[in-house]
Amino acid sequence: QTETAARVGRQPPPRQHGERECERARGKMKFLQNLMSYWANMLLVETLANSRTFQRFAISSDKALRELKKKGDLSAQDITKQASAFSEEMTKAFRDEMMKKK
């Protein structure tokens, strides 16, 4: 009767012994992968945090990015000024054209 019910779809077929072992092995591997990843991450962070070379690189990168940001801000301000001057000129030209048509 169990085989008939399994064929009809009422019950899942019984699991094989090998499937359970495979699932357990996957679980153990996942645990070991997570553990190794954690240790590697810890080692990498501690090594980089204590490295003078990495600290110099981080400081120089920070300075360079700040300088680029300042240059970007200045050029953005210049573009804004130019755009507003252009807009004023276009508005004035449009008004002059409208006055000529009247």
Side-chain angles (χ1 to χ4, degrees):
Q1 190 176 12
T2 307
E3 290 177 28
T4 307
R7 277 189 249 139
V8 174
R10 294 179 185 165
Q11 280 182 310
R15 288 193 162 187
Q16 300 294 327
H17 181 68
E19 288 180 20
R20 284 188 222 141
E21 287 179 8
C22 189
E23 287 179 18
R24 286 183 195 148
R26 283 189 202 125
K28 289 178 184 178
M29 288 302 295
K30 187 172 182 175
F31 173 75
L32 288 175
Q33 286 173 343
N34 288 341
L35 185 62
M36 292 300 291
S37 176
Y38 174 76
W39 282 342
N41 189 30
M42 249 179 48
L43 180 65
L44 183 67
V45 168
E46 286 182 21
T47 302
L48 289 177
N50 294 327
S51 169
R52 285 285 195 207
T53 305
F54 183 76
Q55 290 172 359
R56 278 186 254 132
F57 170 75
I59 290 170
S60 64
S61 297
D62 182 57
K63 285 180 184 178
L65 289 174
R66 287 178 191 258
E67 288 176 13
L68 285 174
K69 183 180 177 194
K70 286 179 185 177
K71 288 180 183 177
D73 289 345
L74 291 176
S75 64
Q77 290 173 355
D78 292 340
I79 291 171
T80 303
K81 288 177 185 176
Q82 291 174 358
S84 64
F86 176 76
S87 175
E88 288 174 12
E89 289 177 25
M90 289 302 289
T91 303
K92 184 178 178 183
F94 181 73
R95 285 184 191 153
D96 290 345
E97 285 294 319
M98 294 303 286
M99 294 301 262
K100 287 181 185 177
K101 288 184 180 181
K102 288 185 179 181

